[in-house]
């Protein structure tokens, strides 16, 4: 009688460990420290800025993306549909400005709002968002190990810095420092 009870109990405990506790063994976090290093004045934290962790490269998205199409199709009215479609135009503007550095130079700080305005275009791929504290630190928690894109933007003295980093997140705590040296664009 004890053997019959013991086997299901052992099987239950094994399943609990594999599927319950096992999930905790394979979780990850990403800690970011964002700063701009100036020649005069030293490093300045990128404080109170939003950073986004996505499951795909947002700058590679097109209007053919199935998640974007589904969002457009689910729009409640024509105004909402137009706003969603315009968000793709805003992302294209940001991407083109960064690729053509002289365009970003001329646009300067006027491009700062484009990341938020483009959010409806890429938010279906959003895994998590985090806001930096006053020291420029933020944490993305309870992630599955894998590949992500870390995107963020901040104002600088001259214009702005924009990051779109491909990140490989392993089990446990992962750290990255963002500054103008690894920004896709910085001025």
């Amino acid at each position: 009688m004890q053997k019959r009870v013991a086997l299901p109990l052992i099987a239950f405990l094994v399943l609990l460990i594999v599927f319950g506790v096992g999930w905790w063994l394979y979780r990850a976090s990403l800690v970011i420290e964002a700063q701009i290093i100036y020649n005069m004045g030293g490093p300045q934290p990128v404080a109170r800025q939003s950073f986004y962790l996505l499951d795909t490269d947002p700058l590679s998205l097109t209007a053919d993306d199935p998640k974007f199409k589904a969002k457009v199709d689910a729009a409640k009215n024509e105004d909402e549909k137009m706003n969603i479609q315009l968000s793709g135009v805003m992302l294209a503007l940001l991407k083109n400005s960064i690729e053509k550095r002289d365009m970003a130079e001329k646009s300067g700080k006027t491009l700062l709002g484009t990341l938020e305005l483009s959010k409806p275009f890429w938010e279906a791929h959003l895994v998590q968002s985090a806001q930096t504290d006053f020291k420029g630190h933020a944490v993305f928690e309870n992630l599955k190990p894998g590949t992500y894109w870390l995107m963020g933007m901040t104002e600088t003295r001259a214009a702005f810095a924009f990051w779109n980093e491909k990140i490989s997140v392993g089990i446990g705590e992962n750290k990255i420092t963002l500054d103008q040296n690894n920004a896709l664009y910085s001025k």
Side-chain angles (χ1 to χ4, degrees), residues 86-160:
L86 283 174
S87 69
V89 173
M90 297 309 292
L91 185 64
L93 172 66
L94 179 61
K95 180 181 176 183
N96 288 336
S97 297
I98 290 167
E99 288 174 352
K100 298 176 173 114
R101 294 183 95 59
D102 62 325
M103 188 174 166
E105 304 278 329
K106 291 175 187 170
S107 301
K109 294 185 182 198
T110 59
L111 287 171
L112 281 169
T114 57
L115 184 60
E116 286 303 315
L117 291 171
S118 70
K119 192 173 182 180
F121 191 75
W122 48 262
E123 74 181 336
H125 294 278
L126 183 64
V127 175
Q128 282 186 34
S129 63
Q131 187 175 53
T132 54
D133 61 17
F134 285 104
K135 294 181 180 180
H137 298 119
V139 180
F140 297 94
E141 297 181 299
N142 296 321
L143 300 171
K144 291 189 333 190
T147 302
Y148 299 94
W149 279 260
L150 178 60
M151 184 171 61
M153 189 174 207
T154 191
E155 185 174 359
T156 62
R157 290 178 186 165
F160 67 93

Side-chain angles (χ1 to χ4, degrees), residues 7-154:
L7 281 174
L9 182 61
I10 290 170
F12 173 74
L13 291 173
V14 168
L15 287 173
L16 182 64
I17 289 169
V18 170
F19 293 107
V21 178
W23 179 83
W24 289 100
L25 294 174
Y26 297 107
R27 71 176 210 197
S29 65
L30 176 63
V31 178
I32 65 171
E33 178 184 359
Q35 61 186 1
I36 300 296
I37 303 168
Y38 293 106
N39 291 335
M40 297 192 54
Q44 298 295 312
V46 175
R48 298 178 51 187
Q49 294 296 310
S50 294
F51 282 83
Y52 305 98
L53 202 60
L54 295 103
D55 62 10
T56 193
D57 179 1
L59 298 182
S60 70
L61 293 174
T62 66
D64 294 336
D65 178 66
K67 289 183 177 181
F68 177 71
K69 281 184 163 183
K71 187 168 186 157
V72 171
D73 291 343
K76 296 179 184 116
N77 55 49
E78 288 302 312
D79 287 343
E80 185 178 346
K81 187 179 284 192
M82 184 183 296
N83 284 336
I84 294 168
Q85 290 169 332
L86 283 174
S87 69
V89 173
M90 297 309 292
L91 185 64
L93 172 66
L94 179 61
K95 180 181 176 183
N96 288 336
S97 297
I98 290 167
E99 288 174 352
K100 298 176 173 114
R101 294 183 95 59
D102 62 325
M103 188 174 166
E105 304 278 329
K106 291 175 187 170
S107 301
K109 294 185 182 198
T110 59
L111 287 171
L112 281 169
T114 57
L115 184 60
E116 286 303 315
L117 291 171
S118 70
K119 192 173 182 180
F121 191 75
W122 48 262
E123 74 181 336
H125 294 278
L126 183 64
V127 175
Q128 282 186 34
S129 63
Q131 187 175 53
T132 54
D133 61 17
F134 285 104
K135 294 181 180 180
H137 298 119
V139 180
F140 297 94
E141 297 181 299
N142 296 321
L143 300 171
K144 291 189 333 190
T147 302
Y148 299 94
W149 279 260
L150 178 60
M151 184 171 61
M153 189 174 207
T154 191

